[in-house]
């Protein structure tokens, strides 16, 4: 227990539970974190359905607390990376009729090698 008392003429000290300068409890500042709120970022469609679907997934972060955003961002990043990787993959050669460019090593009707004698 303390024997300290304020000097005469000193204004009283308020405790954190008491309103400051006559504020009501409803007007007192809150130290609780704010709830999730949409950022209002417009996502413009790209025209590529798979990419647009991944970008729409970003809207899920609007309803999560900040510590939940990382999971959404990582998921979208993985999906976009997979889409880009699929663009780099070369399509398999489609076999065509003999002599076409799709079947290498087969003589063409327009073979210009110098094996022809005149």
């Amino acid at each position: 227990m303390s024997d300290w008392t304020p000097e005469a003429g000193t204004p009283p000290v308020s405790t954190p539970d008491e309103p400051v300068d006559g504020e009501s409890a409803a007007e007192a500042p809150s130290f609780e974190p704010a709830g999730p709120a949409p950022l209002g970022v417009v996502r413009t469609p790209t025209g590529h359905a798979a990419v647009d679907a991944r970008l729409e997934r970003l809207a899920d972060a609007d309803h999560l607390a900040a510590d939940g955003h990382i999971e959404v961002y990582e998921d979208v990043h993985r999906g976009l990376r997979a889409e880009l990787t699929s663009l780099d993959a070369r399509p398999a050669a489609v076999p065509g009729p003999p002599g076409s460019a799709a079947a290498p090593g087969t003589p063409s009707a327009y073979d210009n090698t110098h094996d022809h004698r005149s």
Side-chain angles (χ1 to χ4, degrees), residues 18-89:
E18 295 177 9
V20 179
D21 296 329
E23 290 179 348
S24 70
E27 296 173 357
S30 172
F31 297 103
E32 294 296 317
L39 296 175
V41 175
V42 177
R43 286 173 287 282
T44 306
T46 64
H48 191 279
V51 172
D52 291 339
R54 298 293 180 184
L55 294 177
E56 279 303 312
R57 169 94 165 93
L58 290 173
D60 293 346
D62 286 346
H63 309 290
L64 298 171
D67 61 350
H69 290 190
I70 189 76
E71 182 180 336
V72 173
Y73 295 155
E74 286 177 347
D75 181 47
V76 171
H77 183 256
R78 273 190 302 274
L80 290 174
R81 182 173 229 162
E83 288 301 317
L84 285 173
T85 301
S86 73
L87 292 175
D88 287 340

